[in-house]
Amino acid sequence: MWNQTYDPLGNAWLSALVALIPIVVFFISLLVLKLKGHWAGALTVISAIVIAIFVYEMPMDKALWSFAYGALYGLWPIAWIIIAAIFLYKLTVKSGYFDILRESIIAITPDQRIQVILIGFCFGAFLEGAIGFGGPVAITAALLVGLGLRPLYAAGLCLIANTAPVAFGAVGVPITAMAGAVNVPATEISAMAGHMLPPLSLFVPFFLVFLMNGLKGVKETWPVALVAGGSFAVVQYLTAVYSGPELPDIASAVVSIICVAVFLRFWQPKNIFKFDESVGSSSKLEIKKHSTKDIILAWLPFVLLIGVILIWTAGWFKSLFVGSGALASMVFKFDFASLKEVIQVEPAVKKAKAVKSLFELPIINATGTSIFIVALITIPLLRIKLGTAIATFGETLNEMKWAILTIALVVGFAFVSNYSGISATLALALSQTGSAFAFFSPIVGWIGVFLTGSDTSSNLLFGTLQQLTAQQLKVDEVLFLAANSVGGVVGKMISPQSIAIACAAVGLAGKESELFRFTVKYSILFVIGIGIFTYAIAFYMQWLIP
C-alpha cells in the first residue's frame, strides 16, 4: 500500500509551490513558448510524473499506471464524443444540408452576434445539460464556424458561453456526485448554486456580444441579450432551488431558445452585424428560400441527436448496463491492480480509501456512441453515399489525430495529479488561509477543473476539503460546496482538455496556445469576481444561503 502525502516538504506552502510546477509548465508552454497542445501536454505530464516520483515518493509503477488510466479515459469516452460530434457535423456539410440549416438560422436573424447567443449560449446549454464532457463546445463551435465565424472566435466564444450551465451539466451529475461524496442532500447544494449562478448566466450573453462588437454591439443588441440571459437565469434559479440539480440546464435552455425565437419575430437590431471578409465568410451568408421539407431534413439530424441523448440519459436505459441489466456485458472492465494500493488519507478525505482502479469501457451506452448512431442514421436520411461517409470518417480521424493525442496527455496529467496527491496539496494550502478561504473556495474549484477538465471530478476531488474547511470556519458548508462547483465552471474555458476539444472541433489542432491566450484572462477575472461574491455571502450576505 502507498498512502498519499500532501506535505512532502514539511511546509504546506513550499509543497504547494512544488505542486504548482506542472501548471506553470503548461502556462509557459502555451503562453510564452507557444507550443502545440500535444507538446505542452507532454511537458506537463513529464513534470508531473517527475514530481510525483521524486518529491511525493510515489512508486514509479503507480505513477505510470495512473497516467495510463487517465490517457485511456481521455480516449474513451472523451475523445470518442468529439470524434462522433465532428463526424456528424461533417456529414451534414458533405450532404449540402448544412447550408440549408445555416440559412434557416439566418432567416431567424442574420445578425451574427445573436446567432452566437442562440447557438453558443442557448443550444450549448441544452447540450451541456444533456451530455456534457466537451460535446457541447465541439458541436456548437463547429456550427458557428459553418455560419461564418472565424474558428478561433467560434471556439473561444463557445468556451465562454459554456460557463453558465456547467455546474448542472450532464443532468446534474457534478452536484449529485458531490452530494454523495460529502453526505449532504443534492437539493441543498443545488439551491445554493441556484442563488450564485443566475447573475453569471444573465451576464454571459452581454459579454459574448461585447467580445464580438464592443459596447456598440451591446447597445444595439441588449434587448435580445436580456431576453436570452434573463429567461435562462430565472428558470435556472427556479429549477435549481425548487426542483434539484437535474433540470436547470435543459429547462433553462429550452425556455431561453423559445423566448429568443419569439422575441426576434417582433424585434431585430437596426444594424445587422457580420464579420468582414478578413474574419469570416460573410459573402456566403445569404438568405435563400428553401422548401419546408428541405429545412426539416437539414434540422433533423440535430433533432434526432436531442432525442437519442434523452434516451441515453434516461434512468431505464442506464439501468440496462449496470448490475444484472440485460446489456451489462457490453460494459467491459479492466482493473489496474497497481492503483488499488494508492490510498487517499485525511484531511483530503474523511476516511482513508483507495483511489478508483477499475476502468469501465462502455461500448453502447457511451455518449459518443449515441452521437455516432445519429451520424449513421444521417447517412441514408440525407442520401449520403456510403463511400463518401467512410471517407468523411477517415478524414475526421486524420484531422483530429494530434487533438486526440493532446486529450490523452492532458487527461493523463489530471490523473497523475490526483493520484499522487499534487492536486490535494494545492487545495490544502489554500484551506490554511483562515477566513480568506471564503474568497479562495471557488478558486479551489477552478484549479480542480483546470487540472481534471471536469466539474464533476473537481467536486469529487475537493468536496470533502471544502466541507471540512467550512466547518472549521463555522460557515454553512453548502456555500463552500456550491462555490467549488461555481468556481469550477469558469475554469472549464482554460482546462487543457477543453482547449484541446475546442481546437479539434474547429480545425485548429496545434493552435491551442492561441485559444488559451484568448480565454485565460477572462477565466481569471470571472473566478476573482466569484471569489469576492462568495466572501460577501459568507460574512455579509448570509441571507442568500437557503
Side-chain angles (χ1 to χ4, degrees):
M1 293 295 173
W2 178 75
N3 291 348
Q4 290 182 346
T5 178
Y6 308 121
D7 186 10
L9 299 180
N11 180 287
W13 291 105
L14 185 59
S15 295
L17 282 175
V18 174
L20 199 60
I21 289 175
I23 297 176
V24 173
V25 168
F26 183 78
F27 270 68
I28 291 175
S29 296
L30 291 183
L31 293 178
V32 181
L33 302 179
K34 300 179 182 178
L35 298 178
K36 293 181 183 296
H38 54 278
W39 286 116
L43 290 175
T44 305
V45 166
I46 291 170
S47 64
I49 291 175
V50 168
I51 290 171
I53 294 172
F54 293 104
V55 178
Y56 285 78
E57 298 183 353
M58 185 181 197
M60 182 180 293
D61 67 312
K62 291 174 174 49
L64 295 177
W65 279 119
S66 63
F67 168 72
Y69 189 112
L72 193 56
Y73 185 77
L75 295 176
W76 194 286
I78 296 171
W80 175 227
I81 292 173
I82 314 309
I83 291 169
I86 301 306
F87 178 49
L88 173 61
Y89 164 70
K90 280 182 169 290
L91 285 175
T92 64
V93 172
K94 297 281 186 182
S95 70
Y97 277 96
F98 186 81
D99 289 336
I100 298 174
L101 180 147
R102 178 180 65 185
E103 287 152 10
S104 71
I105 294 173
I106 297 168
I108 298 173
T109 176
D111 193 297
Q112 291 186 320
R113 298 167 299 191
I114 303 174
Q115 291 170 6
V116 169
I117 291 175
L118 263 174
I119 296 173
F121 179 74
C122 301
F123 185 51
F126 177 87
L127 293 174
E128 180 65 38
I131 59 176
F133 293 102
V137 170
I139 293 170
T140 55
L143 285 171
L144 287 176
V145 169
L147 283 165
L149 268 74
R150 186 176 58 180
L152 179 67
Y153 251 54
L157 292 172
C158 285
L159 282 171
I160 293 168
N162 192 233
T163 56
V166 165
F168 299 108
V171 202
V173 167
I175 287 177
T176 54
M178 173 191 272
V182 299
N183 198 29
V184 173
T187 51
E188 293 184 13
I189 304 173
S190 173
M192 185 67 248
H195 282 76
M196 298 177 73
L197 276 170
L200 179 65
S201 300
L202 177 62
F203 174 71
V204 166
F206 290 92
F207 189 62
L208 293 173
V209 173
F210 174 77
L211 291 178
M212 295 179 73
N213 195 215
L215 288 175
K216 177 179 180 291
V218 174
K219 289 177 182 177
E220 292 178 351
T221 62
W222 70 265
V224 71
L226 181 62
V227 169
S231 60
F232 190 98
V234 168
V235 177
Q236 184 183 57
Y237 170 82
L238 293 173
T239 50
V241 173
Y242 298 107
S243 174
E246 294 84 5
L247 287 178
D249 280 356
I250 294 174
S252 302
V254 169
V255 170
S256 185
I257 289 170
I258 293 171
C259 288
V260 170
V262 171
F263 182 72
L264 289 173
R265 298 194 62 167
F266 302 96
W267 180 92
Q268 289 284 343
K270 290 181 180 179
N271 298 314
I272 301 300
F273 175 85
K274 297 178 183 178
F275 285 118
D276 60 31
E277 295 295 329
S278 64
V279 178
S281 52
S282 57
S283 60
K284 298 179 182 178
L285 302 180
E286 301 169 357
I287 300 176
K288 299 177 183 177
K289 289 188 177 180
H290 298 280
S291 67
T292 303
K293 176 186 174 183
D294 283 344
I295 293 173
I296 291 173
L297 277 174
W299 279 99
L300 202 50
F302 297 96
V303 174
L304 286 173
L305 177 63
I306 293 170
V308 172
I309 285 170
L310 289 176
I311 292 172
W312 252 246
T313 54
W316 65 266
F317 184 81
K318 290 180 178 180
S319 66
L320 295 174
F321 300 90
V322 296
S324 58
L327 298 175
S329 61
M330 297 305 296
V331 179
F332 299 101
K333 299 177 181 180
F334 307 93
D335 203 351
F336 286 73
S338 179
L339 296 181
K340 285 182 176 180
E341 300 171 349
V342 177
I343 309 298
Q344 292 177 303
V345 297
E346 298 178 358
V349 291
K350 286 183 177 179
K351 184 178 179 182
K353 63 177 183 179
V355 300
K356 186 177 180 181
S357 61
L358 186 66
F359 184 85
E360 296 182 340
L361 187 67
I363 301 300
I364 296 176
N365 58 318
T367 302
T369 303
S370 70
I371 302 172
F372 186 69
I373 287 172
V374 174
L376 294 180
I377 295 171
T378 298
I379 294 169
L381 188 69
L382 301 186
R383 298 178 182 177
I384 301 168
K385 292 180 180 179
L386 183 59
T388 301
I390 293 172
T392 301
F393 188 71
E395 180 184 303
T396 301
L397 290 177
N398 183 56
E399 289 179 1
M400 289 193 61
K401 58 181 180 291
W402 295 115
I404 293 170
L405 175 60
T406 302
I407 292 168
L409 287 169
V410 297
V411 180
F413 156 64
F415 274 74
V416 172
S417 295
N418 296 345
Y419 283 17
S420 66
I422 289 173
S423 302
T425 295
L426 293 169
L428 286 166
L430 290 176
S431 71
Q432 296 184 13
T433 56
S435 60
F437 185 76
F439 170 79
F440 289 112
S441 176
I443 294 176
V444 169
W446 181 76
I447 292 172
V449 172
F450 174 84
L451 290 172
T452 66
S454 163
D455 203 42
T456 302
S457 298
S458 175
N459 288 347
L460 289 172
L461 187 61
F462 294 139
T464 299
L465 175 71
Q466 297 277 10
Q467 184 182 44
L468 294 175
T469 306
Q471 292 169 355
Q472 291 170 7
L473 297 177
K474 295 182 171 53
V475 174
D476 196 313
E477 61 188 20
V478 297
L479 173 60
F480 285 1
L481 292 172
N484 194 86
S485 195
V486 174
V489 306
V490 296
K492 189 92 169 178
M493 70 176 83
I494 61 166
S495 161
Q497 176 182 311
S498 298
I499 294 289
I501 288 169
C503 283
V506 297
L508 286 178
K511 302 284 188 180
E512 290 83 4
S513 61
E514 293 182 28
L515 183 56
F516 186 75
R517 289 200 303 274
F518 181 84
T519 58
V520 65
K521 50 188 176 293
Y522 305 125
S523 180
I524 292 171
L525 288 173
F526 278 23
V527 78
I528 289 173
I530 293 170
I532 293 170
F533 186 39
T534 305
Y535 186 89
I537 294 173
F539 300 110
Y540 303 105
M541 302 164 64
Q542 292 95 336
W543 49 270
L544 272 178
I545 301 175

